[in-house]
Amino acid sequence: NAGVTQTPKFQVLKTGQSMTLQCAQDMNHEYMSWYRQDPGMGLRLIHYSVGAGITDQGEVPNGYNVSRSTTEDFPLRLLSAAPSQTSVYFCASSYGGGRTYEQYFGPGTRLTVT
Amino acid sequence: AQRVTQPEKLLSVFKGAPVELKCNYSYSGSPELFWYVQYSRQRLQLLLRHISRESIKGFTADLNKGETSFHLKKPFAQEEDSAMYYCALNPGNTGKLIFGQGTTLQVKP
């Protein structure tokens, strides 16, 4: 199993550009999430999904869109990039949303917006 | 409000010294807490979870509901323990984790 994969690993965007960060998992997990990691802020939840066709907002959803058409994929779209979106983005998945389930993380995408 | 606080950004100790990484939480219900670790150039991974009451790589963490804390402890630090450590709370059956700010543990030789 590849686990959770993310592409690209690095990306530089100009302000106003749009792009999609890809996330896929091959563990048949129902729950998938996107987090951003910023120094001194820890990881903050952007959007999450409890199954195909179902998504919801996390703590910092503004400027990002998600969709979940399949169990395996959970792309994150930046609509109009801003310097404040410079961050490291992590995708995670878990078998269930129950309180004891472990989340498995991808390797991250480092995004710089100039 | 649901919140996780890790008061130390950096904790630096010598090899063989005891380690305690602090974590305090704010949650009105019965908490489910985790410690995740990120070693250099590796992805974030689960270290241990409250419900398992296990010891992983010599680390333990005890939930203290009175002090609303879930501190991570190890009696003798090793150089390979150097990493970023995150305390996290899962407040419900949604898979949404609330993370603390993270603590960088530096173990010096």
Side-chain angles (χ1 to χ4, degrees):
Chain A
N1 285 353
V4 180
T5 58
Q6 291 183 238
T7 56
K9 287 188 178 180
F10 302 94
Q11 183 70 48
V12 179
L13 290 179
K14 294 186 177 178
T15 298
Q17 288 184 317
S18 63
M19 78 159 295
T20 299
L21 307 185
Q22 301 292 344
C23 173
Q25 51 90 11
D26 61 358
M27 298 175 282
N28 202 31
H29 284 171
E30 287 296 322
Y31 286 71
M32 296 186 74
S33 306
W34 276 103
Y35 296 88
R36 58 177 289 173
Q37 182 186 43
D38 302 292
M41 306 287 287
L43 277 79
R44 291 180 292 168
L45 183 65
I46 304 171
H47 285 285
Y48 69 102
S49 169
V50 301
I54 306 169
T55 64
D56 205 348
Q57 295 181 350
E59 180 186 356
V60 288
N62 292 342
Y64 308 94
N65 269 359
V66 292
S67 60
R68 183 101 179 266
S69 56
T70 67
T71 299
E72 294 78 20
D73 300 297
F74 191 43
L76 178 72
R77 282 183 287 277
L78 279 71
L79 309 173
S80 177
S84 61
Q85 294 178 304
T86 293
S87 187
V88 181
Y89 292 84
F90 289 99
C91 180
S93 73
S94 63
Y95 180 73
R99 297 165 71 230
T100 64
Y101 283 110
E102 173 183 358
Q103 293 208 4
Y104 293 84
F105 284 82
T109 295
R110 186 175 294 274
L111 175 68
T112 301
V113 183
T114 61
Chain B
Q2 299 163 354
R3 185 179 298 131
V4 176
T5 303
Q6 294 178 250
E8 303 139 329
K9 278 189 177 179
L10 172 66
L11 184 62
S12 185
V13 301
F14 285 101
K15 177 183 172 181
V19 169
E20 182 180 56
L21 288 84
K22 290 184 168 47
C23 172
N24 290 92
Y25 66 91
S26 174
Y27 180 61
S28 58
S30 183
E32 190 52 52
L33 291 152
F34 303 81
W35 277 99
Y36 281 82
V37 61
Q38 187 176 28
Y39 300 104
S40 179
R41 297 187 183 84
Q42 294 188 27
R43 61 185 70 192
L44 200 64
Q45 59 188 280
L46 178 68
L47 179 62
L48 55 81
R49 69 190 88 188
H50 151 241
I51 196 169
S52 301
R53 301 185 184 280
E54 58 202 342
S55 173
I56 303 293
K57 298 184 179 182
F59 284 98
T60 58
D62 291 320
L63 177 63
N64 185 323
K65 291 187 179 181
E67 296 183 356
T68 60
S69 68
F70 187 57
H71 303 329
L72 183 68
K73 299 179 184 179
K74 184 169 183 177
F76 307 104
Q78 303 299 314
E79 289 181 69
E80 55 265 30
D81 296 329
S82 295
M84 173 73 88
Y85 291 80
Y86 288 100
C87 183
L89 166 72
N90 188 344
N93 294 324
T94 61
K96 296 162 61 176
L97 287 180
I98 299 171
F99 283 88
Q101 301 91 327
T103 298
T104 299
L105 175 63
Q106 182 184 74
V107 182
K108 297 178 286 189

